[in-house]
Amino acid sequence: VQLQAFGGGLVQAGGSLRLSCLASGSISSINDMGWYRQAPGKDRELVASITSGDYTKYADSVKGRFTISRDNAKNTVFLQMSSLKSEDTAVYYCNAAISTHFSPRHSYTYWGQGTQVTVSS
């Protein structure tokens, strides 16, 4: 199983970016999916998560600005980021709790490689 994140880049403050993360491999089912970020010198933190039933959760710092969604048919999770601020600058990682065809009764957490988001002020 692999998770590949796309869509990072450089954007001016107030701008928008959309991140995508595609899960591929021998996937039986995907449960929770989420986005984390890690800024230089800081711990990795949860940005947003979404369950298989589309229940969402957000960090207080991004509520009202970021929207997480998923396309189950395409094994993809998205993060629409708007009104970006300089403090949103970080490497963004996606993760997902996935059951594989080899072990359909067990769920393991997989991580993407990270994508850099830089917001210039």
Side-chain angles (χ1 to χ4, degrees):
V1 173
Q2 276 191 322
L3 267 64
Q4 290 183 289
F6 306 93
L10 174 64
V11 65
Q12 287 189 330
S16 299
L17 276 177
R18 189 190 195 210
L19 305 182
S20 303
C21 177
L22 169 66
S24 61
S26 184
I27 296 171
S28 175
S29 64
I30 302 178
N31 302 309
D32 292 2
M33 305 184 83
W35 289 95
Y36 287 70
R37 67 186 180 187
Q38 187 166 21
K42 294 188 177 181
D43 293 333
R44 190 174 297 190
E45 62 174 356
L46 174 68
V47 176
S49 64
I50 184 168
T51 68
S52 57
D54 287 338
Y55 176 79
T56 59
K57 183 169 64 175
Y58 296 92
D60 288 343
S61 59
V62 307
K63 282 180 181 176
R65 300 188 298 122
F66 291 10
T67 302
I68 190 170
S69 61
R70 61 192 285 171
D71 183 335
N72 293 325
K74 297 182 179 178
N75 292 338
T76 301
V77 62
F78 304 97
L79 185 68
Q80 178 67 47
M81 305 184 293
S82 303
S83 301
L84 283 161
K85 305 175 181 180
S86 57
E87 51 263 45
D88 295 318
T89 295
V91 178
Y92 283 70
Y93 299 89
C94 58
N95 80 346
I98 296 174
S99 299
T100 68
H101 290 304
F102 303 106
S103 183
R105 296 183 179 182
H106 296 89
S107 179
Y108 299 94
T109 298
Y110 294 86
W111 289 87
Q113 82 282 10
T115 184
Q116 177 70 46
V117 172
T118 302
V119 183
S120 63
S121 55

